Amino acid sequence: MLLAAPVLCPECPDQPVWAASSSGSLMSSDLYKFVVATAGVPLSITRLIWLKYILPKVQVFGWFAWKKRLKTKEFLLKLGVINQGVSTACVFCGSEGESVNHVLLGCPFVWKIWAEMLNWWDVQAVIPGFVESLLLWWAGGKWRKIEKKIWRAIPLVVMWSIWKCRNECLFRATIPNLEDLCDLIKHRIAFWVKPHLSDLHYSMHDFVFNLRQVRKCLGGPW
Ligand SMILES: [Zn+2]
């Protein structure tokens, strides 16, 4: 096709040009800027999902949650995997249909978990009702570098822990306990994030039960 094209400028050598950069040559930094400019919103979300210090299966779970591809009862009903007559009620509250946004955010039981996590971090905010909005809001959090590593891990670990708890309630008839679940989430975050924070010289116990004080000692915004 190129051979058959007319020669527009005989004096100039024919060469490929990367139009997204001023120099005309393809540089990875220019490519990154181009992707940010054309897909800025999803990129800030993916930074919260593909966290290298969190287990890969949890990262993949986060991606499924963002894309509304979790196998919730409403999703399975839509696919025809479960029959029309089968209840799609949320396993925690029993009053609303189990959608991704309800089971991970909107459910009154789950809402208390998010409230406790914000309290742990010592911020007051209204949690958005959609996973994508939550991740966008979370990505906008302005913290010191060392704090950001912990902050970014929270939504992924919370959502994954809620889903695991939901599965245990559904398949093993376990009764969910809010306090135990919040403790477990904090321990998971501490266990996964702390080894990657070389400047954080505090015990696991301090991290879980006294995070405010730890952050204060680090010189966080108070
Ligand atoms: Zn519910």
Side-chain angles (χ1 to χ4, degrees), residues 85-120:
V86 177
S87 167
T88 58
C90 163
V91 73
F92 297 128
C93 67
S95 58
E96 281 198 44
E98 191 194 59
S99 64
V100 174
N101 290 322
H102 176 81
V103 78
L104 294 181
L105 292 169
C107 179
F109 173 77
V110 165
W111 182 86
K112 286 179 191 163
I113 298 168
W114 287 105
E116 172 52 29
M117 297 314 291
L118 291 180
N119 184 44
W120 184 49

Side-chain angles (χ1 to χ4, degrees), residues 156-181:
L156 212 53
V157 181
V158 170
M159 289 193 294
W160 188 69
S161 301
I162 290 169
W163 187 252
K164 276 189 71 92
C165 176
R166 171 262 188 200
N167 288 344
E168 280 170 21
C169 294
L170 197 60
F171 302 118
R172 294 186 186 176
T174 310
I175 307 294
N177 181 298
L178 184 70
E179 211 174 310
D180 289 350
L181 184 55

Side-chain angles (χ1 to χ4, degrees), residues 133-146:
S133 315
L134 171 90
L135 293 172
L136 269 176
W137 177 78
W138 214 278
K142 300 267 185 274
W143 310 107
R144 284 150 44 90
K145 199 177 169 188
I146 189 168

